[in-house]
Amino acid sequence: MENFILELAKVTIPGLLVLLTTYYLLRDFFKNEERKRYYEMRRETAKSLNPIKLTAYERLALFLERIRPDSLIMRVQTGNMTSGDLHLMLLTTIREEFEHNVTQQIYVGKEVWLVTKNAKETMIQLINTCASEIPNKLPAIELAKIVIERYGELEESPIDIALNILKAEVKSFG
């Protein structure tokens, strides 16, 4: 009987050792394979998402350029407008442009989105302040002059600040 147990142990113990070794090797192998698949999946996702992100940055840069007072006024002002009409058109255009680009916040960093919103709000505030200083019935050119002049007096343009932060994020992104 002792001989049988000894023979059984001689066969069983090496088999168990091989089984345990195989188990741990296969477990590590499968974990590594899973990590590789996860890395590949992230890399592929990044490959397809990067162009979308860059497009979002481009669209926000375009939005910021389009709400600069000189650019904005040139696009919306017509010859027979009053300052009240221009005021309304400037605000409407800024809000429409912003609404058109609001989904870009998904693809850009939080800071870029916040400074973009801040630039928009600052421009609206500037236009409202300038419009409150003159009668609505004056020719639109009067409001246009005041808005452009006041914007030029700003120490730091909110649009330039936003564009600089946007550009820095794009550089760090690539």
Side-chain angles (χ1 to χ4, degrees), residues 57 111-112 162-174:
Y57 287 109
E111 185 180 14
V112 167
L163 282 169
N164 288 336
I165 292 172
L166 186 145
K167 289 174 187 176
E169 190 169 302
V170 168
K171 285 179 185 174
S172 70
F173 167 70

Side-chain angles (χ1 to χ4, degrees), residues 13-66:
I13 291 175
L16 285 173
L17 289 174
V18 168
L19 180 67
L20 287 173
T21 303
T22 304
Y23 169 76
Y24 286 111
L25 287 174
L26 285 175
R27 185 185 71 173
D28 289 344
F29 174 76
F30 287 126
K31 279 184 182 178
N32 284 337
E33 286 299 311
E34 186 177 333
R35 280 188 219 123
K36 284 180 188 175
R37 280 194 308 270
Y38 177 74
Y39 172 75
E40 286 297 319
M41 182 180 72
R42 289 202 42 143
R43 197 174 75 176
E44 289 300 316
T45 301
K47 246 193 243 182
S48 62
L49 199 55
N50 285 348
I52 295 170
K53 284 184 173 185
L54 287 174
T55 300
Y57 287 109
E58 290 170 357
R59 287 184 60 178
L60 287 182
L62 180 61
F63 164 73
L64 290 167
E65 290 295 339
R66 287 177 62 89

